PDB file of all heavy atoms in Angstrom:
ATOM      1  N   SER A1305     100.263  34.920 -12.759  1.00 93.00           N
ATOM      2  CA  SER A1305     100.932  34.503 -11.529  1.00 93.00           C
ATOM      3  C   SER A1305      99.925  34.218 -10.420  1.00 93.00           C
ATOM      4  O   SER A1305     100.034  33.210  -9.708  1.00 93.00           O
ATOM      5  CB  SER A1305     101.923  35.584 -11.092  1.00 93.00           C
ATOM      6  OG  SER A1305     102.453  35.286  -9.829  1.00 93.00           O
ATOM      7  N   MET A1306      98.953  35.107 -10.256  1.00 94.00           N
ATOM      8  CA  MET A1306      97.944  34.933  -9.207  1.00 94.00           C
ATOM      9  C   MET A1306      97.145  33.647  -9.424  1.00 94.00           C
ATOM     10  O   MET A1306      96.873  32.914  -8.479  1.00 94.00           O
ATOM     11  CB  MET A1306      96.997  36.134  -9.162  1.00 94.00           C
ATOM     12  CG  MET A1306      97.595  37.368  -8.564  1.00 94.00           C
ATOM     13  SD  MET A1306      96.393  38.727  -8.634  1.00 94.00           S
ATOM     14  CE  MET A1306      97.227  39.957  -7.644  1.00 94.00           C
ATOM     15  N   ARG A1307      96.772  33.388 -10.663  1.00 92.00           N
ATOM     16  CA  ARG A1307      95.998  32.169 -10.953  1.00 92.00           C
ATOM     17  C   ARG A1307      96.828  30.925 -10.669  1.00 92.00           C
ATOM     18  O   ARG A1307      96.306  29.931 -10.173  1.00 92.00           O
ATOM     19  CB  ARG A1307      95.491  32.202 -12.384  1.00 92.00           C
ATOM     20  CG  ARG A1307      94.356  33.197 -12.546  1.00 92.00           C
ATOM     21  CD  ARG A1307      93.693  33.134 -13.905  1.00 92.00           C
ATOM     22  NE  ARG A1307      92.563  34.037 -13.932  1.00 92.00           N
ATOM     23  CZ  ARG A1307      92.418  35.026 -14.806  1.00 92.00           C
ATOM     24  NH1 ARG A1307      93.316  35.203 -15.773  1.00 92.00           N
ATOM     25  NH2 ARG A1307      91.365  35.816 -14.753  1.00 92.00           N
ATOM     26  N   ALA A1308      98.131  30.980 -10.965  1.00 93.00           N
ATOM     27  CA  ALA A1308      99.006  29.841 -10.671  1.00 93.00           C
ATOM     28  C   ALA A1308      99.104  29.607  -9.163  1.00 93.00           C
ATOM     29  O   ALA A1308      99.176  28.455  -8.712  1.00 93.00           O
ATOM     30  CB  ALA A1308     100.395  30.075 -11.266  1.00 93.00           C
ATOM     31  N   LEU A1309      99.090  30.696  -8.388  1.00 91.00           N
ATOM     32  CA  LEU A1309      99.152  30.591  -6.928  1.00 91.00           C
ATOM     33  C   LEU A1309      97.786  30.314  -6.301  1.00 91.00           C
ATOM     34  O   LEU A1309      97.698  29.923  -5.137  1.00 91.00           O
ATOM     35  CB  LEU A1309      99.731  31.878  -6.334  1.00 91.00           C
ATOM     36  CG  LEU A1309     101.193  32.159  -6.692  1.00 91.00           C
ATOM     37  CD1 LEU A1309     101.582  33.568  -6.255  1.00 91.00           C
ATOM     38  CD2 LEU A1309     102.108  31.120  -6.060  1.00 91.00           C
ATOM     39  N   GLY A1310      96.708  30.581  -7.052  1.00 92.00           N
ATOM     40  CA  GLY A1310      95.356  30.304  -6.573  1.00 92.00           C
ATOM     41  C   GLY A1310      94.745  31.378  -5.701  1.00 92.00           C
ATOM     42  O   GLY A1310      93.759  31.129  -5.019  1.00 92.00           O
ATOM     43  N   HIS A1311      95.314  32.586  -5.722  1.00 92.00           N
ATOM     44  CA  HIS A1311      94.726  33.669  -4.934  1.00 92.00           C
ATOM     45  C   HIS A1311      95.213  35.017  -5.441  1.00 92.00           C
ATOM     46  O   HIS A1311      96.248  35.118  -6.093  1.00 92.00           O
ATOM     47  CB  HIS A1311      95.075  33.534  -3.447  1.00 92.00           C
ATOM     48  CG  HIS A1311      96.534  33.721  -3.167  1.00 92.00           C
ATOM     49  ND1 HIS A1311      97.103  34.962  -2.973  1.00 92.00           N
ATOM     50  CD2 HIS A1311      97.551  32.838  -3.071  1.00 92.00           C
ATOM     51  CE1 HIS A1311      98.399  34.829  -2.764  1.00 92.00           C
ATOM     52  NE2 HIS A1311      98.701  33.536  -2.819  1.00 92.00           N
ATOM     53  N   GLY A1312      94.455  36.060  -5.113  1.00 92.00           N
ATOM     54  CA  GLY A1312      94.847  37.419  -5.444  1.00 92.00           C
ATOM     55  C   GLY A1312      93.649  38.293  -5.739  1.00 92.00           C
ATOM     56  O   GLY A1312      92.531  37.808  -5.931  1.00 92.00           O
ATOM     57  N   THR A1313      93.903  39.580  -5.753  1.00 91.00           N
ATOM     58  CA  THR A1313      92.868  40.571  -6.057  1.00 91.00           C
ATOM     59  C   THR A1313      93.437  41.583  -7.026  1.00 91.00           C
ATOM     60  O   THR A1313      94.537  42.101  -6.813  1.00 91.00           O
ATOM     61  CB  THR A1313      92.411  41.308  -4.784  1.00 91.00           C
ATOM     62  OG1 THR A1313      91.880  40.357  -3.862  1.00 91.00           O
ATOM     63  CG2 THR A1313      91.350  42.357  -5.101  1.00 91.00           C
ATOM     64  N   VAL A1314      92.675  41.865  -8.075  1.00 91.00           N
ATOM     65  CA  VAL A1314      93.030  42.893  -9.045  1.00 91.00           C
ATOM     66  C   VAL A1314      91.920  43.931  -9.031  1.00 91.00           C
ATOM     67  O   VAL A1314      90.739  43.580  -9.120  1.00 91.00           O
ATOM     68  CB  VAL A1314      93.181  42.307 -10.467  1.00 91.00           C
ATOM     69  CG1 VAL A1314      93.424  43.411 -11.482  1.00 91.00           C
ATOM     70  CG2 VAL A1314      94.301  41.279 -10.507  1.00 91.00           C
ATOM     71  N   VAL A1315      92.291  45.202  -8.914  1.00 90.00           N
ATOM     72  CA  VAL A1315      91.331  46.290  -9.009  1.00 90.00           C
ATOM     73  C   VAL A1315      91.743  47.152 -10.202  1.00 90.00           C
ATOM     74  O   VAL A1315      92.845  47.703 -10.215  1.00 90.00           O
ATOM     75  CB  VAL A1315      91.282  47.148  -7.724  1.00 90.00           C
ATOM     76  CG1 VAL A1315      90.292  48.297  -7.893  1.00 90.00           C
ATOM     77  CG2 VAL A1315      90.916  46.296  -6.513  1.00 90.00           C
ATOM     78  N   ASN A1316      90.868  47.221 -11.195  1.00 89.00           N
ATOM     79  CA  ASN A1316      91.111  48.012 -12.399  1.00 89.00           C
ATOM     80  C   ASN A1316      90.364  49.336 -12.288  1.00 89.00           C
ATOM     81  O   ASN A1316      89.136  49.351 -12.251  1.00 89.00           O
ATOM     82  CB  ASN A1316      90.635  47.273 -13.646  1.00 89.00           C
ATOM     83  CG  ASN A1316      91.518  46.109 -13.986  1.00 89.00           C
ATOM     84  OD1 ASN A1316      92.721  46.236 -14.039  1.00 89.00           O
ATOM     85  ND2 ASN A1316      90.913  44.948 -14.201  1.00 89.00           N
ATOM     86  N   VAL A1317      91.097  50.436 -12.227  1.00 89.00           N
ATOM     87  CA  VAL A1317      90.481  51.757 -12.220  1.00 89.00           C
ATOM     88  C   VAL A1317      90.094  52.076 -13.655  1.00 89.00           C
ATOM     89  O   VAL A1317      90.927  52.035 -14.557  1.00 89.00           O
ATOM     90  CB  VAL A1317      91.445  52.820 -11.661  1.00 89.00           C
ATOM     91  CG1 VAL A1317      90.833  54.211 -11.773  1.00 89.00           C
ATOM     92  CG2 VAL A1317      91.810  52.499 -10.217  1.00 89.00           C
ATOM     93  N   GLY A1318      88.821  52.343 -13.858  1.00 84.00           N
ATOM     94  CA  GLY A1318      88.322  52.612 -15.190  1.00 84.00           C
ATOM     95  C   GLY A1318      87.851  51.364 -15.903  1.00 84.00           C
ATOM     96  O   GLY A1318      87.407  51.418 -17.041  1.00 84.00           O
ATOM     97  N   GLY A1319      87.932  50.224 -15.241  1.00 74.00           N
ATOM     98  CA  GLY A1319      87.450  48.978 -15.826  1.00 74.00           C
ATOM     99  C   GLY A1319      85.942  48.892 -15.742  1.00 74.00           C
ATOM    100  O   GLY A1319      85.284  49.691 -15.081  1.00 74.00           O
ATOM    101  N   THR A1320      85.400  47.894 -16.406  1.00 72.00           N
ATOM    102  CA  THR A1320      83.942  47.767 -16.447  1.00 72.00           C
ATOM    103  C   THR A1320      83.444  46.389 -16.069  1.00 72.00           C
ATOM    104  O   THR A1320      82.246  46.146 -16.101  1.00 72.00           O
ATOM    105  CB  THR A1320      83.425  48.091 -17.864  1.00 72.00           C
ATOM    106  OG1 THR A1320      84.041  47.190 -18.793  1.00 72.00           O
ATOM    107  CG2 THR A1320      83.725  49.525 -18.238  1.00 72.00           C
ATOM    108  N   CYS A1321      84.340  45.479 -15.720  1.00 76.00           N
ATOM    109  CA  CYS A1321      83.923  44.099 -15.521  1.00 76.00           C
ATOM    110  C   CYS A1321      84.506  43.550 -14.226  1.00 76.00           C
ATOM    111  O   CYS A1321      85.688  43.731 -13.952  1.00 76.00           O
ATOM    112  CB  CYS A1321      84.393  43.267 -16.718  1.00 76.00           C
ATOM    113  SG  CYS A1321      83.992  41.535 -16.601  1.00 76.00           S
ATOM    114  N   ASP A1322      83.676  42.871 -13.440  1.00 75.00           N
ATOM    115  CA  ASP A1322      84.129  42.178 -12.244  1.00 75.00           C
ATOM    116  C   ASP A1322      84.008  40.679 -12.493  1.00 75.00           C
ATOM    117  O   ASP A1322      83.079  40.235 -13.175  1.00 75.00           O
ATOM    118  CB  ASP A1322      83.261  42.539 -11.031  1.00 75.00           C
ATOM    119  CG  ASP A1322      83.436  43.977 -10.578  1.00 75.00           C
ATOM    120  OD1 ASP A1322      84.267  44.694 -11.157  1.00 75.00           O
ATOM    121  OD2 ASP A1322      82.727  44.376  -9.639  1.00 75.00           O
ATOM    122  N   SER A1323      84.942  39.906 -11.943  1.00 81.00           N
ATOM    123  CA  SER A1323      84.854  38.453 -12.095  1.00 81.00           C
ATOM    124  C   SER A1323      85.668  37.787 -10.991  1.00 81.00           C
ATOM    125  O   SER A1323      86.497  38.406 -10.343  1.00 81.00           O
ATOM    126  CB  SER A1323      85.390  38.021 -13.466  1.00 81.00           C
ATOM    127  OG  SER A1323      86.783  38.259 -13.560  1.00 81.00           O
ATOM    128  N   ASP A1324      85.402  36.509 -10.807  1.00 82.00           N
ATOM    129  CA  ASP A1324      86.165  35.669  -9.899  1.00 82.00           C
ATOM    130  C   ASP A1324      86.508  34.399 -10.657  1.00 82.00           C
ATOM    131  O   ASP A1324      85.626  33.762 -11.225  1.00 82.00           O
ATOM    132  CB  ASP A1324      85.354  35.317  -8.643  1.00 82.00           C
ATOM    133  CG  ASP A1324      85.138  36.514  -7.741  1.00 82.00           C
ATOM    134  OD1 ASP A1324      86.117  37.225  -7.484  1.00 82.00           O
ATOM    135  OD2 ASP A1324      84.002  36.726  -7.297  1.00 82.00           O
ATOM    136  N   SER A1325      87.793  34.058 -10.664  1.00 75.00           N
ATOM    137  CA  SER A1325      88.222  32.880 -11.416  1.00 75.00           C
ATOM    138  C   SER A1325      89.496  32.325 -10.809  1.00 75.00           C
ATOM    139  O   SER A1325      90.463  33.063 -10.612  1.00 75.00           O
ATOM    140  CB  SER A1325      88.459  33.267 -12.880  1.00 75.00           C
ATOM    141  OG  SER A1325      89.116  32.232 -13.564  1.00 75.00           O
ATOM    142  N   GLY A1326      89.498  31.050 -10.506  1.00 77.00           N
ATOM    143  CA  GLY A1326      90.704  30.407  -9.999  1.00 77.00           C
ATOM    144  C   GLY A1326      91.234  31.017  -8.724  1.00 77.00           C
ATOM    145  O   GLY A1326      92.445  31.062  -8.524  1.00 77.00           O
ATOM    146  N   GLY A1327      90.360  31.505  -7.853  1.00 84.00           N
ATOM    147  CA  GLY A1327      90.773  32.112  -6.596  1.00 84.00           C
ATOM    148  C   GLY A1327      91.189  33.562  -6.718  1.00 84.00           C
ATOM    149  O   GLY A1327      91.617  34.166  -5.742  1.00 84.00           O
ATOM    150  N   VAL A1328      91.072  34.136  -7.926  1.00 88.00           N
ATOM    151  CA  VAL A1328      91.470  35.521  -8.156  1.00 88.00           C
ATOM    152  C   VAL A1328      90.221  36.366  -8.379  1.00 88.00           C
ATOM    153  O   VAL A1328      89.378  36.034  -9.209  1.00 88.00           O
ATOM    154  CB  VAL A1328      92.414  35.651  -9.375  1.00 88.00           C
ATOM    155  CG1 VAL A1328      92.777  37.106  -9.613  1.00 88.00           C
ATOM    156  CG2 VAL A1328      93.668  34.810  -9.164  1.00 88.00           C
ATOM    157  N   SER A1329      90.126  37.442  -7.636  1.00 86.00           N
ATOM    158  CA  SER A1329      89.015  38.380  -7.767  1.00 86.00           C
ATOM    159  C   SER A1329      89.463  39.568  -8.611  1.00 86.00           C
ATOM    160  O   SER A1329      90.473  40.194  -8.305  1.00 86.00           O
ATOM    161  CB  SER A1329      88.581  38.861  -6.379  1.00 86.00           C
ATOM    162  OG  SER A1329      87.644  39.908  -6.482  1.00 86.00           O
ATOM    163  N   VAL A1330      88.715  39.847  -9.687  1.00 85.00           N
ATOM    164  CA  VAL A1330      88.994  41.009 -10.525  1.00 85.00           C
ATOM    165  C   VAL A1330      87.832  41.966 -10.352  1.00 85.00           C
ATOM    166  O   VAL A1330      86.676  41.612 -10.601  1.00 85.00           O
ATOM    167  CB  VAL A1330      89.166  40.624 -12.013  1.00 85.00           C
ATOM    168  CG1 VAL A1330      89.413  41.864 -12.858  1.00 85.00           C
ATOM    169  CG2 VAL A1330      90.299  39.619 -12.175  1.00 85.00           C
ATOM    170  N   GLN A1331      88.137  43.179  -9.896  1.00 81.00           N
ATOM    171  CA  GLN A1331      87.116  44.171  -9.609  1.00 81.00           C
ATOM    172  C   GLN A1331      87.412  45.452 -10.366  1.00 81.00           C
ATOM    173  O   GLN A1331      88.556  45.713 -10.720  1.00 81.00           O
ATOM    174  CB  GLN A1331      87.074  44.446  -8.107  1.00 81.00           C
ATOM    175  CG  GLN A1331      86.855  43.199  -7.282  1.00 81.00           C
ATOM    176  CD  GLN A1331      86.949  43.454  -5.797  1.00 81.00           C
ATOM    177  OE1 GLN A1331      86.755  44.566  -5.328  1.00 81.00           O
ATOM    178  NE2 GLN A1331      87.259  42.424  -5.051  1.00 81.00           N
ATOM    179  N   SER A1332      86.379  46.242 -10.581  1.00 79.00           N
ATOM    180  CA  SER A1332      86.533  47.507 -11.294  1.00 79.00           C
ATOM    181  C   SER A1332      86.027  48.652 -10.449  1.00 79.00           C
ATOM    182  O   SER A1332      85.117  48.486  -9.643  1.00 79.00           O
ATOM    183  CB  SER A1332      85.741  47.472 -12.605  1.00 79.00           C
ATOM    184  OG  SER A1332      86.239  46.458 -13.438  1.00 79.00           O
ATOM    185  N   VAL A1333      86.640  49.808 -10.651  1.00 84.00           N
ATOM    186  CA  VAL A1333      86.213  51.040 -10.000  1.00 84.00           C
ATOM    187  C   VAL A1333      86.093  52.092 -11.087  1.00 84.00           C
ATOM    188  O   VAL A1333      87.023  52.282 -11.880  1.00 84.00           O
ATOM    189  CB  VAL A1333      87.235  51.490  -8.929  1.00 84.00           C
ATOM    190  CG1 VAL A1333      86.878  52.852  -8.373  1.00 84.00           C
ATOM    191  CG2 VAL A1333      87.329  50.463  -7.814  1.00 84.00           C
ATOM    192  N   ALA A1334      84.950  52.753 -11.141  1.00 80.00           N
ATOM    193  CA  ALA A1334      84.723  53.775 -12.159  1.00 80.00           C
ATOM    194  C   ALA A1334      85.633  54.977 -11.946  1.00 80.00           C
ATOM    195  O   ALA A1334      85.992  55.314 -10.819  1.00 80.00           O
ATOM    196  CB  ALA A1334      83.261  54.225 -12.141  1.00 80.00           C
ATOM    197  N   VAL A1335      85.999  55.618 -13.036  1.00 76.00           N
ATOM    198  CA  VAL A1335      86.835  56.819 -12.971  1.00 76.00           C
ATOM    199  C   VAL A1335      86.002  57.973 -12.439  1.00 76.00           C
ATOM    200  O   VAL A1335      84.857  58.173 -12.831  1.00 76.00           O
ATOM    201  CB  VAL A1335      87.412  57.155 -14.362  1.00 76.00           C
ATOM    202  CG1 VAL A1335      88.189  58.451 -14.330  1.00 76.00           C
ATOM    203  CG2 VAL A1335      88.283  56.017 -14.855  1.00 76.00           C
ATOM    204  N   ASP A1336      86.585  58.721 -11.526  1.00 75.00           N
ATOM    205  CA  ASP A1336      85.934  59.857 -10.883  1.00 75.00           C
ATOM    206  C   ASP A1336      87.049  60.775 -10.403  1.00 75.00           C
ATOM    207  O   ASP A1336      88.193  60.628 -10.807  1.00 75.00           O
ATOM    208  CB  ASP A1336      85.082  59.338  -9.707  1.00 75.00           C
ATOM    209  CG  ASP A1336      83.972  60.277  -9.290  1.00 75.00           C
ATOM    210  OD1 ASP A1336      84.108  61.500  -9.497  1.00 75.00           O
ATOM    211  OD2 ASP A1336      82.971  59.804  -8.741  1.00 75.00           O
ATOM    212  N   GLU A1337      86.739  61.683  -9.503  1.00 69.00           N
ATOM    213  CA  GLU A1337      87.757  62.524  -8.876  1.00 69.00           C
ATOM    214  C   GLU A1337      88.741  61.624  -8.120  1.00 69.00           C
ATOM    215  O   GLU A1337      88.344  60.631  -7.511  1.00 69.00           O
ATOM    216  CB  GLU A1337      87.066  63.488  -7.911  1.00 69.00           C
ATOM    217  CG  GLU A1337      87.993  64.427  -7.207  1.00 69.00           C
ATOM    218  CD  GLU A1337      87.244  65.331  -6.235  1.00 69.00           C
ATOM    219  OE1 GLU A1337      86.064  65.639  -6.466  1.00 69.00           O
ATOM    220  OE2 GLU A1337      87.879  65.716  -5.241  1.00 69.00           O
ATOM    221  N   ASP A1338      90.038  61.942  -8.159  1.00 72.00           N
ATOM    222  CA  ASP A1338      91.067  61.081  -7.584  1.00 72.00           C
ATOM    223  C   ASP A1338      90.765  60.616  -6.170  1.00 72.00           C
ATOM    224  O   ASP A1338      90.889  59.442  -5.864  1.00 72.00           O
ATOM    225  CB  ASP A1338      92.430  61.782  -7.598  1.00 72.00           C
ATOM    226  CG  ASP A1338      93.092  61.753  -8.963  1.00 72.00           C
ATOM    227  OD1 ASP A1338      92.500  61.192  -9.910  1.00 72.00           O
ATOM    228  OD2 ASP A1338      94.198  62.303  -9.084  1.00 72.00           O
ATOM    229  N   SER A1339      90.371  61.517  -5.282  1.00 79.00           N
ATOM    230  CA  SER A1339      90.134  61.115  -3.894  1.00 79.00           C
ATOM    231  C   SER A1339      88.935  60.176  -3.789  1.00 79.00           C
ATOM    232  O   SER A1339      88.932  59.265  -2.962  1.00 79.00           O
ATOM    233  CB  SER A1339      89.946  62.334  -2.993  1.00 79.00           C
ATOM    234  OG  SER A1339      88.820  63.080  -3.387  1.00 79.00           O
ATOM    235  N   VAL A1340      87.950  60.351  -4.644  1.00 80.00           N
ATOM    236  CA  VAL A1340      86.778  59.462  -4.653  1.00 80.00           C
ATOM    237  C   VAL A1340      87.181  58.075  -5.131  1.00 80.00           C
ATOM    238  O   VAL A1340      86.809  57.058  -4.546  1.00 80.00           O
ATOM    239  CB  VAL A1340      85.654  60.045  -5.545  1.00 80.00           C
ATOM    240  CG1 VAL A1340      84.516  59.056  -5.702  1.00 80.00           C
ATOM    241  CG2 VAL A1340      85.141  61.359  -4.971  1.00 80.00           C
ATOM    242  N   VAL A1341      87.987  58.027  -6.188  1.00 82.00           N
ATOM    243  CA  VAL A1341      88.462  56.746  -6.708  1.00 82.00           C
ATOM    244  C   VAL A1341      89.315  56.039  -5.666  1.00 82.00           C
ATOM    245  O   VAL A1341      89.161  54.835  -5.425  1.00 82.00           O
ATOM    246  CB  VAL A1341      89.257  56.935  -8.019  1.00 82.00           C
ATOM    247  CG1 VAL A1341      89.897  55.627  -8.456  1.00 82.00           C
ATOM    248  CG2 VAL A1341      88.351  57.460  -9.122  1.00 82.00           C
TER     249      VAL A1341
END
């Protein structure tokens, strides 16, 4: 949906890869203590 609209941000907790494609930013945050994450 975001790619069809041409914008958006995805943050994956526990993910390992960041990318930007079609106006959509995909970011990752490492798993840690809940408040730190």
Side-chain angles (χ1 to χ4, degrees):
S1305 173
M1306 286 178 171
R1307 287 188 176 123
L1309 294 170
H1311 66 86
T1313 300
V1314 175
V1315 178
N1316 288 311
V1317 175
T1320 59
C1321 178
D1322 291 357
S1323 67
D1324 290 313
S1325 169
V1328 178
S1329 172
V1330 178
Q1331 304 174 24
S1332 298
V1333 173
V1335 176
D1336 202 333
E1337 181 182 331
D1338 282 0
S1339 62
V1340 173
V1341 173

